Amino acid sequence: MSSLSTTNTTNTTSFSGRYGRLLPGLLLSGAIAYAAIALGKLEWMQSHGMSALTLAIMLGIVLGNSVYGRLAPTCGAGVAFSKQTLLRLGIILYGFRLTFQDIGQVGLAGIAIDALVLASTFGLAMFLGTKVFKLERNSAILIGAGSSICGAAAVMATEPVVKGRSEDVTVAVSTVVVFGTIAIFLYPLLYQLNQGWHLLGATPTAFGVYIGSTVHEVAQVVAAGKSIGQEAANAAVIAKMVRVMMLAPFLVILSAVLARGKSKGGNHDKSSKLAIPWFAFIFIGAVAFNSLGLLPAGTVATITELDTVLLAMAMAALGLTTHMSAIRRAGIKPLLLAGLLFCWLIAGGAAINHVVASLFA
């Protein structure tokens, strides 16, 4: 009897010890996420496309380069848990923001536009990043993912596949913030020019698809679309959601390509095996389940709110573990790469929208 009691006590102590050490870091990440979400609800922040995720990493960087050094020994385990495990869970729950019905609303033309913009932008990122700017491959991949798919969320989802450093992730997210913010103010001007050129069609819906297929972050898409009108905003969000849905197959293909590259290079250790991003498959499952409409709207809203908290905590943790000196060492090349990709999204994205829309007309 005493042996059983001792075993239970040991298990309880082990459980509390294991998870108790996570608590300080989780509380710190959660506090930063709470502040970021609260700030993100301010009208000024929303009008400028500053989402909770963007604010969370910014607040995390400020604390990470000031007071966090003294807190790291106590909070390090929980912060690492937020940056890794909570991130994957957040990506999975992101699926409850999407449905397969979204695909039907943009049609085959919208799917083709999103796929071509994604593939061309990421391909250009790899060529320019590794061949022209001589950046490390992982840095080029992360910047390319953020520009071609869905901004910070794509960067964070790609990190486990490439096993990127915190500095590389933060640099990539920073480029999303810079050029995505510029897009919010630039696209309304492009819409006015398009009224005379009719390159993308004269309707707000057509321009909304252009916004959704080329602007980085979901929040930035909403801000740019609403500055034109609700019709443009609705089309922009739908096109963007379809683009976000392409994140899962992108991660699977990327993982396979990276594993094949390591194998060809003569590296046959465990790291050369296919690192299957299982969370990407579960993400698709979440989308499929959400498409059935079995859950009440209130429940889905609660899940998406929880998802925002988890992703904000992951972003906060990333910011806490990022040192500005590392970003400075990265230099101007990542910014130049992201700038060229931004130009491609505007010009090349417009050409893709025009050609595909003409073919499906």
Side-chain angles (χ1 to χ4, degrees):
M1 185 73 176
S2 60
S3 176
L4 179 61
S5 176
T6 302
T7 301
N8 289 337
T9 302
T10 301
N11 289 339
T12 302
T13 303
S14 175
F15 180 86
S16 61
R18 181 181 177 185
Y19 292 97
R21 66 190 181 89
L22 299 179
L23 188 59
L26 289 173
L27 289 175
L28 178 59
S29 299
I32 297 172
Y34 177 81
I37 292 170
L39 288 172
K41 291 179 180 178
L42 298 178
E43 185 178 347
W44 188 91
M45 294 292 185
Q46 292 182 352
S47 65
H48 289 76
M50 299 295 286
S51 68
L53 303 190
T54 300
L55 293 168
I57 192 172
M58 292 171 66
L59 292 174
I61 289 174
V62 171
L63 294 178
N65 288 272
S66 54
V67 301
Y68 181 66
R70 296 189 292 273
L71 302 175
T74 303
C75 299
V79 168
F81 184 84
S82 297
K83 190 170 65 171
Q84 298 167 5
T85 304
L86 294 189
L87 166 65
R88 288 167 173 78
L89 182 56
I91 295 298
I92 290 169
L93 294 184
Y94 202 93
F96 284 91
R97 301 172 188 264
L98 310 169
T99 67
F100 289 139
Q101 287 82 353
D102 292 335
I103 297 178
Q105 292 189 52
V106 299
L108 291 176
I111 297 171
I113 288 170
D114 280 337
L116 288 171
V117 168
L118 191 163
S120 61
T121 304
F122 187 76
L124 188 62
M126 293 305 298
F127 173 76
L128 292 176
T130 59
K131 303 298 183 182
V132 178
F133 293 113
K134 307 297 182 183
L135 294 173
E136 292 184 4
R137 183 187 62 178
N138 285 356
S139 182
I141 289 174
L142 292 169
I143 293 172
S147 297
S148 62
I149 309 174
C150 54
V155 174
M156 295 290 284
T158 305
E159 184 274 331
V161 177
V162 301
K163 298 178 176 61
R165 299 172 301 179
S166 292
E167 307 87 74
D168 293 333
V169 177
T170 302
V171 168
V173 172
S174 299
T175 63
V176 169
V177 173
V178 171
F179 292 105
T181 302
I182 293 173
I184 295 170
F185 301 100
L186 179 62
Y187 275 66
L189 297 177
L190 294 176
Y191 176 71
Q192 296 302 323
L193 291 175
N194 186 62
Q195 292 297 95
W197 296 347
H198 298 302
L199 177 64
L200 299 168
T203 67
T205 297
F207 199 85
V209 172
Y210 170 55
I211 293 173
S213 63
T214 55
V215 175
H216 302 68
E217 286 266 10
V218 175
Q220 294 159 353
V221 166
V222 173
K226 283 189 173 180
S227 65
I228 294 170
Q230 193 59 49
E231 186 180 344
N234 292 343
V237 170
I238 293 171
K240 183 63 179 178
M241 290 298 98
V242 172
R243 191 169 153 208
V244 170
M245 211 176 294
M246 294 178 178
L247 176 62
F250 167 83
L251 294 176
V252 174
I253 294 170
L254 176 64
S255 179
V257 170
L258 292 178
R260 184 181 179 187
K262 288 180 181 179
S263 180
K264 279 188 174 182
N267 183 359
H268 297 287
D269 62 12
K270 291 182 180 179
S271 65
S272 66
K273 294 181 180 179
L274 177 61
I276 300 174
W278 292 109
F279 66 95
F281 289 99
I282 305 174
F283 164 83
I284 295 176
V287 175
F289 181 77
N290 192 45
S291 300
L292 299 176
L294 299 177
L295 294 178
T299 302
V300 175
T302 300
I303 292 174
T304 56
E305 287 178 8
L306 173 61
D307 177 53
T308 298
V309 172
L310 294 175
L311 290 177
M313 288 178 68
M315 283 296 211
L318 172 63
L320 287 170
T321 54
T322 297
H323 302 290
M324 292 304 295
S325 58
I327 297 177
R328 286 194 294 270
R329 284 198 301 271
I332 196 172
K333 289 183 178 180
L335 196 64
L336 289 174
L337 171 59
L340 288 175
L341 295 179
F342 181 55
C343 293
W344 166 253
L345 285 168
I346 293 171
I352 290 172
N353 271 260
H354 176 72
V355 172
V356 172
S358 300
L359 291 175
F360 282 85

